[in-house]
């Protein structure tokens, strides 16, 4: 059980935490851009989805870098995990629509998978 926790659960949890921190960092930057440029409020939804996709990509990249195999699957799992966190947050603090649900699902899965593949294939030590 210790080996399972050390090799599967811990890297996944760390990667999802990195992705969640990346989402919040991207949201802060997006909010600053909207404020500084005086953009309309309607565009904030697009910035939110972009921030979520960035976080999924960061989580997939981190797990792909750690595992160095099966980047597509690892990124897909990270994308789904962050998507579920987003859906639970939406259920608690707001509302969920079908179009928003599937749009976010597609953005999370694709960007997480891309991040996982990039993480596995990246050989640059920096």
């Amino acid at each position: 059980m210790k080996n399972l926790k050390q090799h599967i659960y811990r890297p996944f949890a760390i990667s999802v935490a990195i992705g969640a921190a990346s989402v919040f960092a991207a949201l802060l930057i997006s909010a600053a851009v909207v404020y500084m440029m005086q953009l309309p409020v309607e565009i904030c939804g697009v910035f939110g989805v972009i921030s979520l996709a960035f976080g999924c990509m960061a989580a997939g990249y981190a797990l792909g870098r750690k595992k160095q195999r099966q980047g597509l699957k690892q990124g897909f799992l990270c994308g789904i995990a962050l998507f579920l966190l987003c859906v639970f947050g939406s259920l608690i603090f707001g509302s969920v629509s079908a179009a928003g649900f599937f749009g976010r699902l597609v953005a999370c899965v694709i960007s997480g998978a891309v991040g996982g593949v990039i993480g596995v294939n990246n050989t640059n030590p920096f």
Side-chain angles (χ1 to χ4, degrees):
M1 187 64 179
K2 183 178 180 182
N3 192 21
L4 184 68
K5 185 171 85 171
Q6 184 178 12
H7 292 291
I8 293 177
Y9 297 134
R10 187 178 299 151
F12 182 74
I14 291 171
S15 297
V16 171
I18 289 170
S22 299
V23 168
F24 286 117
L27 282 173
L28 286 174
I29 292 170
S30 298
V33 167
V34 169
Y35 176 74
M36 297 297 264
M37 296 181 70
Q38 297 296 315
L39 296 174
V41 177
E42 291 81 20
I43 202 164
C44 291
V46 175
F47 277 122
V49 173
I50 291 171
S51 299
L52 182 61
F54 177 75
C56 291
M57 187 176 284
Y61 178 82
L63 192 58
R65 269 304 270 205
K66 177 70 176 161
K67 295 279 190 161
Q68 286 297 311
R69 61 184 168 81
Q70 299 177 341
L72 193 63
K73 181 182 92 170
Q74 304 298 335
F76 176 81
L77 292 174
C78 285
I80 291 294
L82 282 173
F83 171 73
L84 291 175
L85 287 174
C86 177
V87 168
F88 290 140
S90 295
L91 288 173
I92 292 171
F93 297 113
S95 63
V96 178
S97 66
F101 180 86
F102 290 113
R104 286 185 183 101
L105 177 63
V106 168
C108 287
V109 167
I110 290 174
S111 61
V114 167
V117 169
I118 292 171
V120 167
N121 292 331
N122 191 3
T123 57
N124 187 3
F126 300 106

